[in-house]
Amino acid sequence: MAFLKTQERNKERFSLLLLDLEEYYFEHHTANHVTNSSKKERKTRGSFKVCSRSLIFDPDDLTSPIFKIPFRDCKKIEFEEGENNPFTGLRPPVISVTCCQVIYIKESNVISPYRIERGVKTLTFQLEILSKTEDVVQTLLQLHRASCLEKLGEQTAMIAANLQSRLARSSFDKNCFQNVSESPHMECAAEMVMPLVTNPGHVCITDENLYFQPLNGYPEHVIQIKLHKVRRIYKRRHGLRPLGLEVFCTENDLCSDIYLKFYNSADRDEIYYYIATFLENHVTEHTAESYMLQWQRGHLSNYQYLLHLNNLADRSCNDLSQYPVFPWVIADYTSTQLDMTNAATFRDLSKPVGALNMERLDRLLARYRGMPEPRFMYGSHYSSPGYVLFYLVRVAPEHMLCLQNGRYDHPDRMFNSVGETWKNCLEGATDFKELIPEFYGNNCSFLENNQSLDMGRRQNGSLVGDVILPAWASDGSDFLQKHRAALESQYISEHLHEWIDLVFGFKQRGGEAVASHNVFHPLTYEGGIDCDSIEDPNERIAMLTQILEFGQTPTQLFGSPHPQRITPRFQNITCSSSITSPVSELSQASQSEDSSFEDLTEECRKISWANMGNLILVSSHKIHKEAVTGIAVTRDGTAIFSTSQDSTLKMFSRELREFQRSMSFSNMALSSCLILADGKTVACSSWDNNVYFYSIPYGRRQDTLMGHDDAISEMCWFDDRLYTASWDSTTKVWQYESESSLSHRRSQFQLLAELEHDTGVNTIGLSPAGTLLVSGCKDGTVTIWDTSSYEMLQQVHCHTGTIHHTAFSPDSRHVLSVGADSCMMVIDVQTGMVISSVKTEEEQRCFCWDGNQVLCGGQFGDLLLWNLLSNTVTKRIPAHSGAVTAMWMNDLCSTVITGGEDRKIILWKLQS
């Protein structure tokens, strides 16, 4: 928990949370609080702390309360010179403060609501270093004048000037460097951000460390972050301005190691880019799209994915106005058993909390329709500092007291019961709050009153103690375990994308937000108002305070519908899908074989891809006079067919390791080849607009299909249907009809459909089940078609040049494309969203992939093994002396054949 992590840094009784919101702690002095009773002087030793709006005295005696005197309540602050008394000697100088009220905190060292003692009184303090007394009084008088100004903007400006003066007169102490050889890169002023408070000081970054030195030496003299331990850095909005920087030394932790707020974006950006450059060779930078791909494929849990989205959307545990937001997922808090097989157990994630109750929604919509612009449906937000501390008051009581001026909320309004809170979120007129990550963590202390806090007594007479849990949870740990299990359940996994659309996605704003009943106050949205444009400082500060207390909507991460997760149920259905490039290699026999064989085949593929970096060259053969354009292999693997721009179809014997046949159909280049389901016929596409059919048993041309008005670029075959792509801007679908004997009669092709494109089609591919077709065009457009209705499902202009190759993942959920722009794109089939985009160093011409890894043929002749989850090349294998132009992989993914511009075909196998 962020609060616990913050508190670990400091074991003192004093805390910045004793200050008012937006107040700074400037300096401290060892001093005595001097009191006189019965003509006897009593001194209480402690720490005299000068803050921007108050002075605080923290006694060394822990049984004595800390007391705080706001400057606005001071009537007089004086420096009293020492007097020479002939009986007692020289009386040292003191600070005399006359005020109308004193706030007592942590009486008997117990966290409890503050006690305010009203009435005029004078307090006297004697500094241990007497020579500083007069200077400290001058500082107090200056801060007192600031607090007495009528307008808040003027107060803030005067305090800010004082702070900047202090920062300008000090600098980072380079004696704090861990290593004498460290080379400093830059130093600047900044503030360390913690929940509800900030602490000013100096940042220094070297070639080894990031340092922060607080101006006041609190909570420690210097905070050090080793650069080689940094795993993630995020730019942040802080106070609606782009000034924040958050640094994480862990990959999946909820809490950061330091959050800094700079005074100008230039300083922030320089530090950010310096760390980012340092990390380039150590850490992979992740985007929302790359995390999405990992989540879709089961490499990230729902919990981890939501954490990453929150981080990317400016949500931070150190900023309560932008605390990470998680959804309510369970709707049943009354049953004794939690049935996760029943859909009624779960909350409807397609609706915001405010729209879950139709009766309440009708009332809200009636008010919305009669409201002047700008209109909003909900008068409160789903995440705000008050809501966060509502949930966490038992572990963060001092934060609640800080937020609420030293008081807890009314006992009946506190977080007393999970079920009651859910009920109020459904029925309350102004309660639309979601949950926080702690509800899905493993620390249940926020549900228990382990500190024995006195938070009051409810109307029914019961004390506010531990949170009342649902009947299906035996204790706090059991509640969190079942709550986390619900978050990771099949139902939530299938529907979580709907909630992401509302909070982080395309339903967050605009017409989609209105249609989804997801419209909040305009000030909660990023860019809703530019506070810097408000000239009146008082109005600007009031507006900023209102926004920060009300809560903020996350940064929008997605502009189109978020893809659904690939759940285990769906994976089981599709686990026998083939990964081979030619459609002829989709084994039809496998569909009739038992599931144990399918599981074994799938396991073999996984093992093969896990070892794909161990490909070894078996043999290399130069059998063409121009670049190889297509490769096909007979079912028994004995014969390899290849086409080339030299216009020939060649047959190579794998056993004899020599080429045995050569056939030329015309004087134009052949562009691709495949073997039909009968295993006896090779189809070849040509730049002369035709498809030629070659009989393997008879060794001659068997048929010609005159199909297009321009070159045919690629073909696919599935279930007696031939798909041909052409530079004439069409893809055609042909039904194959044969007589009783294919060997002696010519086959017939009937045109079923003509799919129109705007430019020439350069590549096509079928999904393993043959239900979807993808085409890639010369203008960089990827189009996905339904092969039963021939309707266009998605059209995505994602490349800036010709698309060389495109193919579905084995589960048909994604399409991968590579193009002349050297980009590699992953597109979600369901939504058409580009969920991964990688700019490569060279063009990738062809590939095979398993959904997570890609074996690519590069422009420079190497085979590159890409990990799409990290967007990195994990292995580069030297192959051809020119571009790799064709690639084939067998069904078990253990054998690869490549063809290149060097006119060679190369046989590869996995090293056992």
Side-chain angles (χ1 to χ4, degrees):
M1 270 179 224
F3 301 98
L4 303 182
K5 190 167 183 176
T6 303
Q7 291 165 7
E8 283 171 6
R9 273 200 172 124
N10 171 47
K11 302 299 182 185
E12 291 181 40
R13 188 166 68 142
F14 170 76
S15 162
L16 295 178
L17 294 165
L18 304 186
L19 281 60
D20 290 347
L21 293 175
E22 304 294 320
E23 184 176 9
Y24 295 111
Y25 166 32
F26 284 149
E27 60 190 59
H28 73 97
H29 305 273
T30 302
N32 288 297
H33 173 219
V34 182
T35 54
N36 293 290
S37 57
S38 303
K39 297 183 181 180
K40 186 177 180 182
E41 188 175 77
R42 180 173 177 266
K43 294 183 179 180
T44 304
R45 193 173 186 273
S47 177
F48 183 90
K49 301 180 186 295
V50 179
C51 306
S52 59
R53 299 183 188 276
S54 63
L55 68 85
I56 294 175
F57 184 74
D58 181 13
D60 292 346
D61 178 9
L62 298 182
T63 61
S64 299
I66 297 171
F67 55 83
K68 173 179 173 179
I69 307 170
F71 289 131
R72 66 176 180 271
D73 294 328
C74 292
K75 291 184 172 296
K76 188 164 51 174
I77 299 174
E78 292 181 305
F79 167 71
E80 294 185 358
E81 294 192 37
E83 298 175 356
N84 194 0
N85 189 308
F87 300 102
T88 60
L90 180 67
R91 180 177 180 269
V94 295
I95 301 170
S96 174
V97 180
T98 302
C99 59
C100 57
Q101 70 174 21
V102 178
I103 301 169
Y104 292 94
I105 305 169
K106 292 188 178 178
E107 295 184 277
S108 302
N109 202 28
V110 173
I111 298 173
S112 60
Y114 304 166
R115 179 172 65 86
I116 300 175
E117 193 174 281
R118 293 179 172 86
V120 177
K121 61 174 60 185
T122 300
L123 296 97
T124 304
F125 302 94
Q126 187 182 97
L127 301 188
E128 191 170 81
I129 302 176
L130 300 176
S131 60
K132 289 189 175 182
T133 306
E134 195 165 3
D135 289 340
V136 171
V137 169
Q138 291 304 313
T139 299
L140 295 177
L141 288 170
Q142 184 184 25
L143 294 171
H144 178 246
R145 284 195 298 273
S147 294
C148 291
L149 293 172
E150 284 188 19
K151 295 184 176 180
L152 183 61
E154 293 172 352
Q155 292 180 25
T156 303
M158 191 167 176
I159 291 170
N162 187 301
L163 171 61
Q164 292 305 316
S165 174
R166 290 170 178 271
L167 290 169
R169 295 196 308 268
S170 58
S171 62
F172 183 83
D173 181 4
K174 293 182 174 56
N175 291 320
C176 296
F177 284 173
Q178 289 293 298
N179 190 328
V180 293
S181 63
E182 278 187 70
S183 174
H185 172 70
M186 75 168 287
E187 177 187 335
C188 64
E191 296 175 17
M192 187 169 79
V193 179
M194 295 164 284
L196 294 182
V197 296
T198 62
N199 203 15
H202 294 278
V203 168
C204 183
I205 190 164
T206 72
D207 54 346
E208 295 181 18
N209 294 288
L210 171 68
Y211 296 98
F212 177 74
Q213 189 170 47
L215 193 63
N216 49 34
Y218 176 91
E220 49 197 294
H221 182 59
V222 69
I223 294 162
Q224 173 197 2
I225 305 289
K226 292 183 180 296
L227 294 183
H228 75 268
K229 289 188 175 180
V230 175
R231 289 293 168 267
R232 293 177 288 144
I233 53 172
Y234 296 99
K235 291 182 180 181
R236 294 286 189 227
R237 280 182 303 158
H238 186 273
L240 303 186
R241 301 179 68 196
L243 300 174
L245 180 69
E246 194 160 23
V247 180
F248 291 77
C249 292
T250 57
E251 187 55 48
N252 292 306
D253 201 346
L254 174 62
C255 307
S256 65
D257 290 80
I258 195 166
Y259 184 150
L260 296 169
K261 182 194 108 176
F262 295 83
Y263 295 109
N264 62 74
S265 56
D267 286 345
R268 190 275 304 268
D269 292 344
E270 184 167 352
I271 296 278
Y272 173 87
Y273 288 117
Y274 184 83
I275 299 176
T277 302
F278 184 90
L279 298 182
E280 268 183 1
N281 298 324
H282 304 83
V283 180
T284 302
E285 183 179 359
H286 287 291
T287 62
E289 287 75 19
S290 65
Y291 282 130
M292 180 202 294
L293 188 61
Q294 292 184 56
W295 170 73
Q296 265 201 297
R297 301 208 155 274
H299 296 273
L300 286 177
S301 66
N302 292 340
Y303 174 81
Q304 290 171 324
Y305 184 47
L306 289 175
L307 274 188
H308 288 307
L309 292 185
N310 272 284
N311 265 320
L312 291 169
D314 268 340
R315 313 301 283 188
S316 167
C317 288
N318 285 303
D319 185 351
L320 297 192
S321 68
Q322 298 188 93
Y323 201 79
V325 56
F326 270 58
W328 288 93
V329 297
I330 294 175
D332 179 6
Y333 295 97
T334 56
S335 301
T336 55
Q337 298 291 324
L338 195 61
D339 182 4
M340 294 201 196
T341 63
N342 183 0
T345 298
F346 301 101
R347 168 253 180 109
D348 183 350
L349 289 169
S350 68
K351 299 176 181 178
V353 169
L356 293 174
N357 181 334
M358 283 305 300
E359 185 180 334
R360 177 179 64 177
L361 180 62
D362 288 341
R363 293 196 301 269
L364 292 168
L365 290 177
R367 186 191 68 172
Y368 170 76
R369 295 184 188 105
M371 189 182 293
E373 294 290 347
R375 297 187 296 176
F376 53 90
M377 295 177 186
Y378 308 113
S380 64
H381 205 252
Y382 50 76
S383 175
S384 70
Y387 289 162
V388 174
L389 295 176
F390 168 84
Y391 291 126
L392 296 180
V393 63
R394 290 166 178 79
V395 290
E398 291 186 80
H399 292 79
M400 176 65 88
L401 294 172
C402 176
L403 185 69
Q404 300 209 147
N405 299 315
R407 301 185 304 274
Y408 293 127
D409 202 352
H410 187 281
D412 283 297
R413 288 198 298 267
M414 296 192 77
F415 181 33
N416 294 301
S417 160
V418 177
E420 282 181 16
T421 301
W422 168 247
K423 183 181 179 184
N424 200 56
C425 288
L426 287 181
E427 300 174 0
T430 59
D431 193 349
F432 315 108
K433 59 179 170 283
E434 292 279 9
L435 294 182
I436 55 176
E438 282 78 1
F439 278 83
Y440 302 98
N442 51 22
N443 186 342
C444 62
S445 59
F446 76 101
L447 299 169
E448 300 164 351
N449 188 14
N450 293 326
Q451 299 185 53
S452 301
L453 301 169
D454 182 2
M455 294 178 284
R457 192 178 294 273
R458 304 183 66 184
Q459 284 187 346
N460 62 12
S462 63
L463 288 169
V464 176
D466 294 348
V467 176
I468 299 170
L469 301 173
W472 45 257
S474 58
D475 57 23
S477 295
D478 185 49
F479 171 78
L480 292 188
Q481 187 273 324
K482 288 175 178 172
H483 216 226
R484 177 69 173 265
L487 179 65
E488 306 298 341
S489 67
Q490 177 88 23
Y491 180 89
I492 296 300
S493 293
E494 291 175 351
H495 294 275
L496 187 59
H497 65 286
E498 297 172 338
W499 185 83
I500 292 172
D501 283 336
L502 294 169
V503 176
F504 302 105
F506 82 114
K507 292 183 179 180
Q508 187 196 88
R509 297 173 179 233
E512 291 289 348
V514 175
S516 304
H517 306 128
N518 193 39
V519 182
F520 294 86
H521 194 286
L523 290 180
T524 68
Y525 295 95
E526 183 177 12
I529 188 169
D530 179 8
C531 283
D532 291 336
S533 66
I534 302 174
E535 295 182 1
D536 186 331
N538 302 294
E539 187 180 335
R540 181 171 64 248
I541 291 169
M543 180 66 72
L544 180 60
T545 302
Q546 178 187 347
I547 292 169
L548 297 183
E549 290 181 359
F550 191 86
Q552 295 176 66
T553 300
T555 297
Q556 190 173 20
L557 299 178
F558 307 106
S560 55
H562 191 287
Q564 189 177 18
R565 190 173 195 186
I566 304 168
T567 61
R569 182 192 299 162
F570 190 90
Q571 289 174 334
N572 290 340
I573 293 171
T574 62
C575 68
S576 63
S577 299
S578 171
I579 193 167
T580 53
S581 286
V583 176
S584 62
E585 285 297 309
L586 294 173
S587 173
Q588 294 178 353
S590 68
Q591 296 174 12
S592 62
E593 292 165 354
D594 60 33
S595 61
S596 62
F597 182 79
E598 291 178 359
D599 292 342
L600 180 62
T601 302
E602 186 64 24
E603 191 60 33
C604 289
R605 290 178 185 138
K606 289 180 179 177
I607 293 171
S608 294
W609 275 102
N611 294 281
M612 195 58 69
N614 298 325
L615 273 181
I616 57 172
L617 190 151
V618 176
S619 59
S620 175
H621 310 275
K622 184 179 286 189
I623 60 174
H624 284 284
K625 296 179 181 178
E626 297 290 344
V628 178
T629 56
I631 299 169
V633 180
T634 54
R635 186 172 298 181
D636 58 10
T638 57
I640 301 168
F641 289 87
S642 60
T643 51
S644 167
Q645 289 183 7
D646 65 7
S647 78
T648 62
L649 170 70
K650 303 268 180 151
M651 175 180 162
F652 180 85
S653 171
R654 198 166 177 180
E655 293 176 350
L656 300 177
R657 296 195 176 184
E658 62 181 27
F659 103 83
Q660 294 183 308
R661 302 184 193 176
S662 178
M663 169 67 72
S664 180
F665 303 109
S666 75
N667 59 358
M668 298 285 281
L670 297 179
S671 56
S672 69
C673 61
L674 56 82
I675 297 177
L676 303 194
D678 62 5
K680 300 176 183 179
T681 307
V682 182
C684 304
S685 59
S686 172
W687 284 7
D688 69 2
N689 315 348
N690 297 328
V691 178
Y692 298 98
F693 298 88
Y694 174 81
S695 171
I696 299 174
Y698 290 92
R700 58 181 174 80
R701 183 170 68 182
Q702 178 176 296
D703 197 1
T704 301
L705 174 63
M706 294 178 283
H708 287 271
D709 298 325
D710 203 341
I712 298 175
S713 52
E714 194 168 9
M715 302 176 297
C716 293
W717 177 275
F718 189 87
D719 198 20
D720 289 339
R721 288 188 183 181
L722 177 68
Y723 299 80
T724 57
S726 170
W727 295 349
D728 66 7
S729 304
T730 66
T731 295
K732 293 184 178 181
V733 186
W734 310 85
Q735 179 67 46
Y736 168 70
E737 298 173 348
S738 64
E739 302 294 336
S740 57
S741 174
L742 265 177
S743 303
H744 302 289
R745 305 284 183 91
R746 287 197 170 194
S747 58
Q748 301 293 318
F749 287 91
Q750 176 188 354
L751 181 63
L752 296 181
E754 188 171 324
L755 311 179
E756 297 283 350
H757 299 72
D758 293 332
T759 57
V761 186
N762 207 50
T763 176
I764 55 171
L766 280 165
S767 64
T771 56
L772 300 171
L773 176 78
V774 61
S775 54
C777 294
K778 290 186 174 184
D779 65 352
T781 301
V782 171
T783 309
I784 300 171
W785 307 83
D786 183 328
T787 58
S788 59
S789 64
Y790 306 115
E791 290 182 3
M792 181 191 299
L793 301 178
Q794 305 289 351
Q795 188 169 57
V796 187
H797 190 82
C798 50
H799 291 272
T800 57
T802 298
I803 297 176
H804 293 314
H805 186 49
T806 184
F808 285 92
S809 57
D811 57 19
S812 304
R813 299 299 294 266
H814 296 133
V815 163
L816 178 68
S817 61
V818 295
D821 57 1
S822 300
C823 286
M824 186 158 52
M825 305 285 187
V826 179
I827 299 168
D828 181 77
V829 171
Q830 181 189 24
T831 63
M833 179 187 289
V834 176
I835 60 175
S836 180
S837 175
V838 184
K839 182 74 173 178
T840 61
E841 294 180 359
E842 61 185 283
E843 288 183 41
Q844 308 300 310
R845 297 288 295 274
C846 54
F847 64 83
C848 295
W849 73 313
D850 72 338
N852 297 322
Q853 295 188 90
V854 190
L855 183 66
C856 286
Q859 182 70 21
F860 301 148
D862 293 341
L863 299 182
L864 292 89
L865 185 61
W866 282 87
N867 184 326
L868 285 178
L869 302 180
S870 63
N871 288 342
T872 55
V873 176
T874 57
K875 189 68 178 287
R876 181 182 284 268
I877 306 169
H880 295 266
S881 57
V884 184
T885 52
M887 184 181 295
W888 174 91
M889 183 180 282
N890 73 334
D891 193 41
L892 296 179
C893 310
S894 57
T895 300
V896 175
I897 303 173
T898 58
E901 284 184 347
D902 59 2
R903 298 166 284 174
K904 293 180 181 178
I905 62 167
I906 300 178
L907 281 62
W908 309 81
K909 71 173 184 179
L910 288 179
Q911 192 170 16
S912 58

